[in-house]
């Protein structure tokens, strides 16, 4: 694929901007400045730099972000900055969107992609992708609450009960809750339904993925092979 087309596909701007980046000597492959927009490269696995920023070619953008508190998952945020403001411009140009939403005060693992079909697949309750939430509660968590969360509670917008796939106490006032669907404010409403109240909420796992050492506000590429999500061993720069 021509290098100008590679830059364009990765979100570095329209074709004229990408040709300009090359002509200005701002693009390097393997440390060598590439100035000819027509030079061909095998895109799969290609690592390159644009104005000093390392980049890895990805046919589809799929990444995880350690969402900090105080940002909204909406593209048109109302009260706080969007999570998209934490990503470099090429990802925003590619139109990545959160896979489901976390509340403004929820922290943790947020997946984002530019693949609409994948968003549908990962958020559909039919596919039962487990998500683990670490929940801090106002009141002590007791066995009766755990049993009710596992048996199913009825929320105000649907008569069908929603069940946790797993619910384990992790401290006097805390639990780890595994859900396979993603209804609006689901954890908060489920805890309210059993007479408790969520004070802190952190998503620690999404499918087989966990945050590892990814710091709040940072992101990392993710790959999907045979329905398994796996971080790519390459991290963003400052
Ligand atoms: N459930 C909630 O209540 N809030 C979140 O952010 C995620 C799940």
């Amino acid at each position: 694929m021509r290098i100008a087309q590679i830059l364009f596909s990765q979100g570095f701007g329209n074709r004229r901007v990408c040709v300009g980046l090359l002509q200005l000597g701002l693009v390097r492959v393997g440390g060598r400045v590439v100035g000819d927009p027509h030079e061909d490269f095998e895109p799969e696995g290609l690592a390159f730099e644009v104005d000093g920023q390392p980049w890895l070619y990805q046919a589809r953008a799929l990444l995880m972000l350690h969402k900090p508190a105080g940002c909204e998952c909406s593209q048109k945020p109302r009260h706080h900055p969007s999570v998209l403001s934490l990503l470099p411009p090429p990802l925003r140009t590619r139109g990545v969107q959160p896979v489901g939403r976390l509340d403004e005060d929820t922290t943790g693992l947020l997946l984002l992609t530019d693949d609409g079909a994948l968003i549908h697949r990962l958020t559909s309750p039919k596919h039962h992708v487990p998500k683990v939430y670490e929940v801090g509660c106002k009141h002590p968590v007791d066995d009766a609450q755990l049993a009710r969360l596992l048996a199913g509670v009825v929320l105000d917008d649907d008569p069908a009960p929603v069940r946790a796939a797993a619910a384990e106490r992790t401290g006097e006032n805390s639990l780890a809750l595994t859900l396979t669907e993603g209804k609006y404010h689901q954890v908060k409403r489920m805890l309210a339904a059993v007479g408790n109240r969520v004070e802190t909420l952190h998503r620690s796992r999404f499918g087989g993925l966990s945050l590892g050492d990814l710091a709040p506000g940072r992101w990392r590429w993710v790959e999907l092979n045979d329905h398994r999500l796996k971080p790519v061993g390459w991290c963003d720069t400052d």
Side-chain angles (χ1 to χ4, degrees):
M1 194 190 284
R2 290 187 174 161
I3 187 70
Q5 175 64 19
I6 290 176
L7 296 181
F8 174 68
S9 73
Q10 300 301 286
F12 282 93
N14 63 27
R15 287 172 207 280
R16 196 165 353 139
V17 168
C18 292
V19 169
L21 289 168
L22 289 153
Q23 289 173 340
L24 286 168
L26 293 173
V27 180
R28 287 174 187 264
V29 178
R32 173 175 70 86
V33 173
V34 177
D36 177 3
H38 297 101
E39 190 169 338
D40 274 322
F41 291 90
E42 166 56 48
E44 213 45 58
L46 186 73
F48 56 96
E49 274 180 35
V50 179
D51 201 10
Q53 180 181 26
W55 205 256
L56 185 65
Y57 175 87
Q58 301 279 339
R60 161 179 69 198
L62 175 62
L63 53 131
M64 63 172 167
L65 170 75
H66 187 158
K67 180 193 174 296
C71 53
E72 296 182 21
C73 287
S74 162
Q75 275 173 323
K76 292 193 183 139
R78 289 200 296 188
H79 306 293
H80 301 272
S82 165
V83 287
L84 299 175
S85 68
L86 297 167
L87 302 178
L91 289 174
R92 302 206 294 269
T93 304
R94 286 181 76 166
V96 300
Q97 290 176 43
V99 176
R101 290 188 178 191
L102 293 177
D103 297 335
E104 174 272 315
D105 54 350
T106 301
T107 59
L109 202 167
L110 182 68
L111 272 183
L112 299 108
T113 182
D114 60 355
D115 182 340
L118 183 61
I119 293 183
H120 180 72
R121 200 163 103 212
L122 291 171
T123 51
S124 159
K126 267 193 259 158
H127 290 95
H128 300 289
V129 179
K131 279 137 296 200
V132 180
Y133 295 89
E134 312 294 334
V135 192
C137 295
K138 182 174 168 81
H139 308 294
V141 177
D142 61 30
D143 289 344
Q145 289 172 16
L146 295 176
R148 284 184 63 197
L149 291 167
L150 290 167
V153 295
V154 174
L155 304 179
D156 47 9
D157 58 351
D158 192 347
V162 285
R163 290 181 187 82
E168 282 172 33
R169 195 169 22 237
T170 51
E172 190 172 343
N173 285 48
S174 60
L175 74 155
L177 197 66
T178 306
L179 302 180
T180 56
E181 49 199 337
K183 288 174 181 282
Y184 180 67
H185 290 332
Q186 185 167 341
V187 175
K188 291 173 184 168
R189 291 195 295 153
M190 286 178 79
L191 266 296
V194 300
N196 211 322
R197 187 187 163 97
V198 173
E199 294 211 313
T200 58
L201 187 53
H202 176 83
R203 184 158 70 190
S204 56
R205 294 191 78 83
F206 190 116
L209 267 189
S210 62
L211 284 167
D213 59 1
L214 193 63
R218 305 298 295 267
W219 66 278
R220 182 171 287 168
W221 292 116
V222 168
E223 57 190 23
L224 181 64
N225 287 327
D226 290 336
H227 302 283
R228 293 170 78 93
L229 294 161
K230 199 163 114 318
V232 176
W234 182 88
C235 193
D236 61 324
T237 55
D238 290 319

